[in-house]
Amino acid sequence: MSLRVLQVLASLRRAGAERLAVSLACGLRREGFETAVISLYDAFPGGFEPMLEDDAVPVWHLGKGRGLDPRMWSRVEQVIDSFRPDILHTHSYVMRYLLPKRFRQVVHTVHNMAGHEVDVIGRAIHRFAFRQGAAAVAISPEVARSFARMYGREPAAVIFNGVDVQGGFRPEAREAWRTRHRFGAGDCLVVSVARLEAQKNPLHLIQAFAAVARDVPAMHLILAGEGTLLETARQGAARAGIGARVHFLGLCQDVVELLSACDVFALGSDWEGTPMAALEAMAAHLPVVATAVGGVPDVVENGVNGTLVPAGDVAALGAAMAALAQNVGRRGAMGAAAFSRAAHFDRTATLHAYAQLYERRMQEAGR
């Protein structure tokens, strides 16, 4: 009898936690598991629904409103009664919408540093759930340490995020993408795929680029993502006099083609778990320039496959981008090392690690 696993998410917007959950739902279904997905919110444009549809994974959208929505308790319970999962796999803050009787079925992935994952109420709920038997998964050793500090216990497992390493690079797309977006072969494209929100600090990334843009006229900054800081970021680039060299793509669904067309990946986050976008960039042979926060140093080795700088250090971030933009040989060597490192984070290994954890949980429950 195959295990039945229900992924429970806030939404199916394109972001790292959602990408993991969808990858698990689709991948496990191909491995013989029965899988389904709950999205508390209704569908957003450009979400992951088509991927789930391609693998015939059932999806329930529950119409959540903003803030605490008491309707979710009964709606989530109705789906659980209908699908009858063996495992409930929760992400971000959604555990507050499960009834306590369900906690022993729960596997919960901690996608961020524990102090940033949920609010005070969420931490209290999580603490209670873990005491009742919910199993936590940290996405890096640093996230695991933050979890232990927050909750006074070790997570059940550390499982890194996984990406499609073999399909994550399409060199043949480079010229076509650049031509379509009016970039030349000699342009050095620094790309960041991230939500335009405070955590990712796109304003510091723009400031860092502005500090060195005059010295590297061939360098362009490409920001792929949406968020509440979009207009502020646009205005900041314009005020710095680099509006023509900072390009806002919005929500990007051709991420592999985009990364394959670029030269350097940059991320200026103030805090992180293990950013999926950085792993995808490494799979696309891109060196990474990033702030040394959270689980980033667990995947980016400073001076080998990228450059790490202190969070908030605009000058260091800019200098690191410029150094790679001006040194093609260094970019190539770091890019090759990045791809080699990315091979350790192939999504197949992630899939199998979660499958083993689910099966272990069932054995421990005597089912």
Side-chain angles (χ1 to χ4, degrees):
M1 178 180 176
S2 62
L3 290 185
R4 301 174 68 84
V5 181
L6 180 62
Q7 302 286 335
V8 189
L9 301 124
S11 79
L12 285 168
R13 282 178 164 171
R14 289 183 179 263
E18 292 77 6
R19 184 175 293 278
L20 172 69
V22 169
S23 178
L24 289 175
C26 294
L28 288 169
R29 193 167 188 83
R30 291 192 290 270
E31 295 288 326
F33 286 67
E34 293 294 322
T35 61
V37 172
I38 285 178
S39 168
L40 299 184
Y41 281 98
D42 284 335
F44 293 93
F48 281 120
E49 284 85 355
M51 290 180 60
L52 294 164
E53 184 177 349
D54 287 346
D55 277 288
V57 176
V59 179
W60 284 270
H61 290 96
L62 303 188
K64 183 183 179 303
R66 286 191 171 187
L68 183 67
D69 189 340
R71 299 174 303 167
M72 293 301 103
W73 284 300
S74 62
R75 292 183 184 182
V76 168
E77 196 66 14
Q78 287 170 9
V79 175
I80 292 173
D81 288 342
S82 172
F83 184 68
R84 294 176 288 107
D86 299 300
I87 298 290
L88 292 162
H89 190 157
T90 60
H91 305 265
S92 67
Y93 63 79
V94 303
M95 203 158 15
R96 69 189 61 193
Y97 292 114
L98 296 182
L99 299 180
K101 68 179 181 179
R102 301 292 186 185
F103 287 162
R104 293 192 66 83
Q105 291 176 263
V106 168
V107 169
H108 176 78
T109 296
V110 184
H111 289 276
N112 216 322
M113 301 295 284
H116 289 287
E117 186 196 18
V118 289
D119 58 17
V120 173
I121 294 174
R123 288 196 289 273
I125 293 168
H126 284 192
R127 186 173 286 109
F128 177 73
F130 298 137
R131 288 174 180 167
Q132 297 302 307
V137 177
I139 62 171
S140 79
E142 187 59 31
V143 170
R145 286 187 283 271
S146 77
F147 178 88
R149 290 192 297 269
M150 176 63 66
Y151 296 107
R153 64 180 64 223
E154 297 297 322
V158 175
I159 303 176
F160 279 99
N161 289 336
V163 295
D164 180 7
V165 175
Q166 296 306 315
F169 183 46
R170 298 177 192 164
E172 71 281 359
R174 181 180 176 92
E175 183 178 353
W177 192 95
R178 285 179 172 239
T179 299
R180 188 163 66 250
H181 292 271
R182 300 181 181 180
F183 291 109
D187 289 327
C188 178
L189 306 186
V190 178
V191 62
S192 185
V193 181
R195 292 175 291 106
L196 300 180
E197 301 289 352
Q199 174 189 351
K200 306 295 184 179
N201 209 337
L203 305 184
H204 274 195
L205 191 59
I206 290 170
Q207 291 169 16
F209 178 80
V212 297
R214 184 176 299 177
D215 298 327
V216 195
M219 186 166 62
H220 292 257
L221 178 62
I222 298 174
L223 301 178
E226 297 178 325
T228 59
L229 293 178
L230 174 59
E231 286 309 313
T232 304
R234 284 189 194 276
Q235 294 167 12
R239 282 195 303 270
I242 55 170
R245 292 172 59 188
V246 179
H247 310 270
F248 296 89
L249 299 188
L251 183 65
C252 184
Q253 298 191 44
D254 62 341
V255 172
V256 174
E257 289 82 356
L258 166 65
L259 294 173
S260 299
C262 292
D263 302 288
V264 177
F265 181 85
L267 195 63
S269 302
D270 287 343
W271 69 88
E272 276 292 351
T274 302
M276 189 80 79
L279 294 175
E280 291 174 331
M282 291 162 60
H285 296 243
L286 295 187
V288 175
V289 173
T291 46
V293 296
V296 175
D298 290 328
V299 298
V300 178
E301 187 176 355
N302 189 40
V304 178
N305 58 6
T307 303
L308 297 176
V309 302
D313 192 334
V314 171
L317 187 59
M321 289 191 289
L324 283 174
Q326 293 173 309
N327 191 328
V328 176
R330 183 71 168 153
R331 287 204 310 267
M334 279 192 167
F339 177 73
S340 180
R341 178 69 172 145
H344 296 279
F345 305 101
D346 188 80
R347 65 183 180 184
T348 301
T350 301
L351 187 73
H352 290 165
Y354 274 106
Q356 290 170 5
L357 176 61
Y358 296 155
E359 290 166 352
R360 187 165 71 247
R361 292 283 292 170
M362 294 297 292
Q363 291 170 1
E364 291 169 353
R367 295 164 65 186

